[in-house]
Amino acid sequence: MQNTNELNADLVVILGTGGTIAGTAQDAADNVGYRAAQLGVLELVRAIPPLAQRRLETEQIAQLDSKDMDFATWRKLVLRVSEHLARPEVMGVVITHGTDTLEETAYFLQRVLAPTKPVVLTAAMRPATALQTDGPQNLLDAVNVAADAQARGVLIVFSGAVHSAEQLRKVHSYRVDAFASADGARAAVVEEGRVRWLSQLATSRTPFGLGVLNRPLQTWPRVQILMNHVGADGSVVEALLSQGVDGLVVAGTGNGSLSLPLEAALRAAQAQGVAVLRSTRCDAGPVTESDQALPSAGALSPVKARVELLLTLLAAN
Ligand code: SIN
């Protein structure tokens, strides 16, 4: 089946942002004591012989450990992705990224662009210098997915599986198989370079579009995440309000439930004009809507609910 990709497009653009996939360690047997974001994206590509047969371009967008990902880099990345996708010869874009905040970047790109061509993020749990590094296979698989005729939207390729931006969650701190489609099916698997699709890619919601990113970065809304837990009171909400906050995402217990004092504090914040979204600290599953309760984030994890609220507030201004 031919998707909306250009018929003659055969170029894949690979954008580097850093992460463990570009990390190096002193000792090849050391999988954790390494420095992320040391190698350039071109070096990563050159280390994978089969990629020599592909028409590729590389560009270094950033070189950081993804725990330090920021709005300025997000904006630069989304603009470059959009520019490359608009080129008729480009069939897809691949982004190398750290695993730690990959799901946030993927969701941000999907909700801003909802691209018809594929934008494929990949990463690694082990540095490039490891005895059994996972980065090269993940990057090769990502390029194969970006070149697949059925691929579209923001996808994540990791450890032989393809995930959508909505479903993806990092579920393990150390294992090589660190990601899962936590609340739905994997989109596809990559087997010896071939993509086997397992589920229909969901039709995306209307994207926010690049226009929402025009506001100066220093005026972007402050959206914070807090959690319900045993003994949770309203003090964190009050502290955030005193510093100035535009939005709050609460990771509730179970189906988004909140202790009485935390709910009271959040309702008070809402009454002062702070946008509130209720998510769950569970690993999967939605928070069901209720007229009596604070607004639900649906099936979005707390970090993705924060991205959604950030973009909603940017769009409102
Ligand atoms: C990072 O997120 O940049 C470091 C950790 C990783 O890539 O696994």
Side-chain angles (χ1 to χ4, degrees):
M1 187 185 79
Q2 185 69 45
N3 73 357
T4 50
N5 296 356
E6 313 281 338
L7 282 175
N8 295 319
D10 66 350
L11 176 66
V12 175
V13 178
I14 307 181
L15 305 178
T17 70
T20 295
I21 192 167
T24 56
Q26 299 279 348
D27 174 358
D30 189 349
N31 288 322
V32 292
Y34 61 86
R35 291 183 65 191
Q38 300 301 304
L39 303 176
V41 63
L42 185 57
E43 277 179 273
L44 303 184
V45 170
R46 286 196 172 141
I48 307 172
L51 287 183
Q53 282 141 43
R54 290 256 182 217
R55 198 169 154 233
L56 301 173
E57 266 179 32
T58 60
E59 182 179 334
Q60 197 74 44
I61 298 290
Q63 189 63 300
L64 45 77
D65 187 318
S66 80
K67 69 181 172 53
D68 298 317
M69 183 53 74
D70 53 37
F71 292 161
T73 309
W74 266 4
R75 181 155 74 179
K76 182 175 174 192
L77 180 64
V78 73
L79 291 174
R80 288 305 285 147
V81 168
S82 167
E83 283 158 7
H84 284 302
L85 292 179
R87 297 166 60 195
E89 70 274 25
V90 170
M91 67 196 312
V93 171
V94 169
I95 301 168
T96 57
H97 199 284
T99 62
D100 285 346
T101 60
L102 187 147
E103 66 209 73
E104 292 170 65
T105 299
Y107 189 72
F108 176 78
L109 290 168
Q110 175 63 29
R111 292 297 286 122
V112 173
L113 295 175
T116 49
K117 291 181 184 178
V119 174
V120 183
L121 286 92
T122 196
M125 288 299 283
R126 292 179 179 165
T129 47
L131 289 174
Q132 275 202 320
T133 182
D134 51 333
Q137 185 67 54
N138 285 344
L139 182 49
L140 178 60
D141 287 349
V143 172
N144 284 327
V145 171
D148 187 90
Q150 284 189 56
R152 64 180 159 75
V154 178
L155 299 167
I156 299 84
V157 172
F158 205 87
S159 202
V162 184
H163 308 272
S164 72
E166 282 88 356
Q167 300 295 347
L168 182 81
R169 289 197 194 192
K170 188 170 181 183
V171 292
H172 203 277
S173 59
Y174 174 75
R175 241 176 30 207
V176 170
D177 190 8
F179 286 92
S181 281
D183 198 34
R186 287 174 300 172
V189 288
V190 191
E191 295 162 338
E192 298 298 307
R194 286 175 194 274
V195 187
R196 181 159 60 90
W197 293 93
L198 303 174
S199 57
Q200 292 271 0
L201 292 171
T203 319
S204 179
R205 283 176 286 168
T206 311
F208 283 93
L210 293 173
V212 295
L213 310 182
N214 286 342
R215 261 175 67 179
L217 288 169
Q218 61 277 16
T219 69
W220 280 29
R222 291 193 69 210
V223 182
Q224 301 287 356
I225 301 175
L226 60 152
M227 189 185 271
N228 190 42
H229 49 75
V230 171
D233 60 18
S235 55
V236 176
V237 177
E238 281 147 24
L240 289 169
L241 283 178
S242 71
Q243 286 179 20
V245 70
D246 304 294
L248 291 170
V249 172
V250 60
T253 28
N255 189 8
S257 59
L258 304 170
S259 73
L260 292 171
L262 179 56
E263 176 160 5
L266 287 166
R267 285 192 184 277
Q270 196 186 37
Q272 290 177 40
V274 175
V276 178
L277 266 188
R278 208 165 37 93
S279 178
T280 175
R281 65 180 220 187
C282 292
D283 290 341
V287 168
T288 52
E289 293 278 357
S290 156
D291 289 344
Q292 283 80 51
L294 287 161
S296 156
L300 295 177
S301 64
V303 289
K304 288 185 196 167
R306 176 175 176 267
V307 173
E308 188 72 26
L309 192 49
L310 171 78
L311 291 169
T312 304
L313 292 171
L314 279 171
N317 280 277

